Amino acid sequence: GAGVSQSPSNKVTEKGKDVELRCDPISGHTALYWYRQSLGQGLEFLIYFQGNSAPDKSGLPSDRFSAERTGGSVSTLTIQRTQQEDSAVYLCASSSHLEQFFGPGTRLTVL
Amino acid sequence: AQSVTQPDIHITVSEGASLELRCNYSYGATPYLFWYVQSPGQGLQLLLKYFSGDTLVQGIKGFEAEFKRSQSSFNLRKPSVHWSDAAEYFCAVGPLNTGNQFYFGTGTSLTVIP
């Protein structure tokens, strides 16, 4: 089925390197969310895109984190100069009528 | 501040037994309420949602939840648990009129024993 897809599924990187995580939302969904899920924690909101409106970046933990959404579809979350505390599962969700559909996530490990 | 509390970090039940997972929220008005399930290595799947109306909502996989305004609760229930229900369960509220965010609880891990 045409669900939310994320790539890569796993990413191992060295401290200080930049990483890019990709999200392909469900076609036609105008809303897109990024979350971070750390071990034993709930989902931490990172950023929200809605159509052509300015994104809600209020959840980004530092200026090393950024995201963009091209053409109202694919989104990329970029983490610059990764730190060990960035290790987590990064989840993307697209939304229709307040219901979020989640991708399988990208597990990021920073060594 | 808005928040969601799932007081039970881990619950173990026997297969066939009933289940109740607790969720409490903190918000000044009636929020939109959700329960999600996350199986190992999978994304979150919506079990059920409450927006308004009947306070007892039915979801997929035989789950139901009841919204109790007086207790600010939205507990998830299932009358008879199956081994395949073993997973992590998350309660969520939102989006709220203060922004676009959904707030998630820290999750309850369910183990089902034969």
Side-chain angles (χ1 to χ4, degrees):
Chain A
V4 178
S5 61
Q6 291 186 245
S7 60
S9 55
N10 281 284
K11 177 70 176 180
V12 180
T13 190
E14 294 179 345
K15 178 181 174 182
K17 299 285 189 182
D18 298 351
V19 296
E20 286 189 351
L21 313 179
R22 176 187 169 105
C23 172
D24 284 86
I26 292 173
S27 177
H29 282 189
T30 57
L32 187 147
Y33 294 79
W34 281 99
Y35 295 90
R36 179 167 67 178
Q37 184 179 23
S38 302
L39 189 63
Q41 301 296 314
L43 274 67
E44 176 188 4
F45 167 80
L46 296 178
I47 189 168
Y48 164 74
F49 295 90
Q50 173 61 59
N52 295 321
S53 302
D56 177 353
K57 304 179 181 180
S58 59
L60 294 178
S62 77
D63 59 7
R64 296 186 296 104
F65 288 72
S66 63
E68 63 178 20
R69 189 177 184 191
T70 55
S73 180
V74 172
S75 178
T76 302
L77 176 69
T78 300
I79 308 174
Q80 296 178 309
R81 305 180 302 282
T82 52
Q83 303 295 312
Q84 288 183 331
E85 59 263 29
D86 299 333
S87 296
V89 175
Y90 290 82
L91 293 168
C92 171
S94 67
S95 177
S96 173
H97 300 99
L98 297 175
E99 180 173 341
Q100 294 183 89
F101 294 82
F102 283 83
T106 294
R107 180 175 298 278
L108 175 65
T109 303
V110 182
L111 302 176
Chain B
Q2 297 82 13
S3 68
V4 179
T5 302
Q6 293 181 247
D8 303 306
I9 296 174
H10 186 222
I11 284 182
T12 299
V13 299
S14 297
E15 190 168 16
S18 63
L19 171 70
E20 182 169 28
L21 302 182
R22 295 182 290 165
C23 173
N24 293 91
Y25 65 89
S26 172
Y27 181 57
T30 301
Y32 302 129
L33 297 160
F34 306 82
W35 274 100
Y36 287 86
V37 60
Q38 185 179 34
S39 298
Q42 304 295 314
L44 277 71
Q45 180 184 20
L46 181 68
L47 285 175
L48 46 78
K49 60 192 176 190
Y50 173 79
F51 289 170
S52 65
D54 192 348
T55 57
L56 183 64
V57 293
Q58 302 296 320
I60 62 172
K61 305 184 180 186
F63 285 92
E64 66 178 26
E66 185 172 12
F67 168 61
K68 293 186 176 179
R69 184 191 308 275
S70 61
Q71 299 177 18
S72 296
S73 70
F74 189 57
N75 294 348
L76 182 71
R77 301 194 295 247
K78 187 169 184 178
S80 179
V81 170
H82 188 262
W83 64 266
S84 61
D85 293 325
E88 190 88 15
Y89 291 82
F90 292 93
C91 180
V93 302
L96 308 174
N97 58 13
T98 53
N100 303 307
Q101 295 191 26
F102 285 76
Y103 290 86
F104 285 78
T106 52
T108 297
S109 176
L110 175 66
T111 297
V112 180
I113 57 177

